[in-house]
Amino acid sequence: MFSTILKIHSISVIIFFLIYFIKTLLLLSNANDKLEKFKSYTKILEMIVSVSFLLTGIYLITQIPEIKAMLIIKLILVFASIPLAVIAYKKRHKILALVSFMLIVTAYGLAEMSRTQKVSEEVADGKTLYETSCAMCHGADGKLGIAGASDLSITQLQQGEVVNIILNGKGGMQKVQMTEIQANAVAEYVLKNIKK
Ligand code: HEC
């Protein structure tokens, strides 16, 4: 459910953004006839897209556990740009159109930034990394022992030593391809959750 709504939201945002972009270009290049034509062609599409963009956006906000500052700034930018855009296109005011377009671009950029930030947090998630890179030999509980893999539930090593083994290998264990941040996240997970 959440991911479907998120998809609809993203698609609506992209279409909304494209219409907005073309309208701004036409206005700035004094192509008034084309602008009027484009506006009448896209009127219904724009209405549908704006409604779905807002409704899905509201739904997504209610699903987010904590509202971050970034999200509030994004919302303010989006809501400030809409009335500006309406006035700008009505009065054919280029500067206003440009300002409102820049506000939307900034909001879009912020949304992208917070998404990338989320992805990098996920990448350094020790549990997931352990499951994908270590569990096939060591097992989810550390005791599997495939190919002579040590029992991690009884390891006596410190976090730094575990990181070192992950990044450089040890005896029968080859080094595992990951960044130091990721290795630290896995090592922490091993010592906190696998070690008894
Ligand atoms: C291909 C199988 C394999 C994979 C994948 C693997 N290991 Fe190992 N691991 C081993 C083997 C084999 C040893 C025993 C090495 C030796 O002492 O010769 C070992 C030993 C270790 C040790 C030393 C334990 C001790 O107490 O001495 C740690 C810690 C460890 N692995 C952690 C990890 C972590 C964390 C991952 C995932 C990032 C991982 N391993 C992935 C096979 C594997």
Side-chain angles (χ1 to χ4, degrees), residues 129-130 132-138 146-152 154-157 161-163 165-166 170-174 176 178 183 186-187 190:
L129 284 168
Y130 181 84
T132 51
S133 306
C134 321
M136 62 277 221
C137 294
H138 290 282
I146 296 278
S150 320
D151 183 349
L152 295 182
I154 54 164
T155 183
Q156 295 300 315
L157 300 174
E161 297 169 296
V162 177
V163 170
I165 291 174
I166 297 171
K170 175 197 176 199
M173 175 177 152
Q174 288 195 348
V176 178
M178 55 175 68
V186 184
V190 168

Side-chain angles (χ1 to χ4, degrees), residues 7-190:
K7 240 178 240 153
I8 299 173
H9 184 71
S10 311
I11 295 170
S12 313
V13 170
I14 289 170
I15 300 175
F16 183 81
F17 196 67
L18 276 179
I19 294 178
Y20 212 9
F21 179 66
I22 295 171
K23 274 181 12 185
T24 308
L25 273 185
L26 291 174
L27 182 68
L28 291 182
S29 56
N30 285 323
N32 288 337
D33 292 348
K34 283 189 190 141
L35 177 61
E36 286 313 315
K37 241 188 207 153
F38 183 76
K39 267 163 67 177
S40 64
Y41 283 148
T42 52
K43 200 169 190 160
I44 293 177
L45 178 67
E46 191 179 0
M47 244 151 60
I48 297 172
V49 165
S50 327
V51 169
S52 100
F53 165 28
L54 283 179
L55 288 184
T56 51
I58 291 168
Y59 170 82
L60 291 175
I61 290 173
T62 62
Q63 301 301 303
I64 295 175
E66 54 169 330
I67 308 275
K68 298 227 171 91
M70 192 90 101
L71 182 65
I72 296 176
I73 298 173
K74 183 179 135 187
L75 288 176
I76 293 175
L77 290 178
V78 169
F79 282 104
S81 74
I82 291 173
L84 275 187
V86 171
I87 300 171
Y89 294 122
K90 243 201 188 111
K91 304 225 182 250
R92 303 237 167 97
H93 197 303
K94 289 183 188 164
I95 297 179
L96 267 191
L98 203 58
V99 169
S100 98
F101 187 68
M102 293 315 281
L103 288 180
I104 284 279
V105 172
T106 313
Y108 190 75
L110 285 178
E112 281 304 310
M113 256 167 63
S114 54
R115 212 197 316 272
T116 355
Q117 202 178 355
K118 218 177 130 215
V119 169
S120 55
E121 275 166 22
E122 274 166 20
V123 169
D125 170 14
K127 182 176 194 293
T128 313
L129 284 168
Y130 181 84
E131 281 160 3
T132 51
S133 306
C134 321
M136 62 277 221
C137 294
H138 290 282
D141 58 358
K143 297 182 191 170
L144 188 62
I146 296 278
S150 320
D151 183 349
L152 295 182
S153 70
I154 54 164
T155 183
Q156 295 300 315
L157 300 174
Q158 303 293 311
Q159 178 153 341
E161 297 169 296
V162 177
V163 170
N164 188 38
I165 291 174
I166 297 171
L167 294 178
N168 301 306
K170 175 197 176 199
M173 175 177 152
Q174 288 195 348
K175 64 179 176 189
V176 178
Q177 278 304 331
M178 55 175 68
T179 66
E180 221 175 296
I181 295 174
Q182 291 174 322
N184 262 295
V186 184
E188 193 183 322
Y189 175 76
V190 168

